Amino acid sequence: MQEQELDSTMSQEIKVLEDNATWEIINLPVSKRAIGSKWVFKIKYKANGEIEIYKDRLVAKGYSQQEGFDYHETFSPVAKMRKYALQLILEARLAATKPISTPIELNQKLITIDYDKHVGVKGDAEPEDIGSYQRLIGKLLYIIITRPDLSFAVQVLSQFMQQPKQSHWDAALRVVRYGKSASGLGMLLSTGPINNISAYCDSDWFSCPNTRRSII
């Protein structure tokens, strides 16, 4: 059963890549070698341990390239991401809005539609076009490669991609507005070796009203 589910998701992934014209088949240039690819699989589980969805991604083995042989120039991820973030602001039609100092409101609790039904909360309807929310979160997930300060807010918002509400959409736009105020920030991904890395976290026990789990 698991193999059948993975085969199905792989076929869907290939179809999406082909529909989006992700690649173009050409003859391999002389003295060049092809870069391989591999499948990355992940199984997402529900809070009760049941399987929720099978995920897969076809990725290129870019790490197999050699500087001076496969390429001669590199690009700055920070510069590229800054341009991408500014373009996202324009697409969201937030160019004329005032920037804000935080990506998410303090102590804001974002909850699911099912939770609203359970406690009888009304007035926070599902948007007509959930695809707009899903596309926006997908773009934000790309940006956090060099903007770790957005990681927590985007991680929270990505939990509602299947059934977003108006409050989720408003919170996502807030993240974009924060990016407007701090478009010059970013993490430089150097081509050299990294010997040390520092990370900080804080546990927030039972803060999530949807799963009653710790949020780190």
Side-chain angles (χ1 to χ4, degrees), residues 2-214:
Q2 186 176 9
E3 293 182 357
Q4 295 177 353
E5 292 289 345
L6 292 175
D7 288 342
S8 176
T9 56
M10 290 170 62
S11 299
Q12 295 174 11
E13 175 75 3
I14 290 293
K15 184 178 186 305
V16 170
L17 293 173
E18 292 177 343
D19 291 344
N20 292 332
T22 306
W23 54 64
E24 180 182 354
I25 299 178
I26 61 172
N27 294 326
L28 185 66
V30 179
S31 74
K32 299 296 182 180
R33 61 178 181 178
I35 299 175
S37 61
K38 67 176 183 178
W39 286 98
V40 178
F41 301 98
K42 182 179 180 180
I43 302 177
K44 183 178 180 181
Y45 294 90
K46 298 180 181 179
N48 61 4
E50 296 180 356
I51 296 177
E52 181 177 355
I53 190 174
Y54 293 90
K55 294 184 176 182
D56 56 57
R57 182 70 59 86
L58 181 63
V59 298
K61 296 180 179 179
Y63 55 82
S64 64
Q65 299 181 87
Q66 297 181 5
E67 185 175 1
F69 182 80
D70 297 302
Y71 66 91
H72 300 280
E73 296 181 356
T74 59
F75 66 92
S76 170
V78 174
K80 291 287 185 179
M81 286 301 177
R82 183 182 301 123
K83 181 179 179 181
Y84 187 83
L86 294 175
Q87 182 62 34
L88 182 58
I89 293 171
L90 295 176
E91 292 178 1
R93 299 180 180 180
L94 296 174
T97 60
K98 294 182 179 181
I100 52 180
S101 58
T102 59
I104 192 171
E105 292 184 17
L106 182 63
N107 296 325
Q108 183 179 17
K109 306 298 182 185
L110 296 172
I111 55 180
T112 63
I113 292 179
D114 292 337
Y115 186 88
D116 282 348
K117 294 178 180 178
H118 179 71
V119 300
V121 175
K122 298 181 180 180
D124 192 5
E126 183 176 349
E128 295 181 0
D129 182 16
I130 65 174
S132 297
Y133 179 84
Q134 294 170 340
R135 288 188 293 271
L136 177 58
I137 298 302
K139 294 176 180 179
L140 289 173
L141 287 170
Y142 179 68
I143 290 178
I144 64 175
I145 295 175
T146 59
R147 290 294 303 272
D149 54 321
L150 302 179
S151 297
F152 175 76
V154 176
Q155 181 268 334
V156 172
L157 292 170
S158 66
Q159 300 179 33
F160 308 103
M161 292 185 68
Q162 301 301 321
Q163 285 187 305
K165 302 187 300 179
Q166 185 61 42
S167 59
H168 303 147
W169 174 254
D170 295 339
L173 293 180
R174 180 183 177 90
V175 176
V176 179
R177 290 178 59 193
Y178 171 77
K180 180 182 179 182
S181 66
S183 59
L185 298 179
M187 178 182 292
L188 177 62
L189 302 180
S190 175
T191 58
I194 299 176
N195 298 322
N196 299 305
I197 186 171
S198 299
Y200 304 88
C201 67
D202 184 21
S203 298
D204 191 359
W205 296 103
F206 300 105
S207 172
C208 180
N210 301 302
T211 63
R212 308 307 298 173
R213 291 182 174 181
S214 169

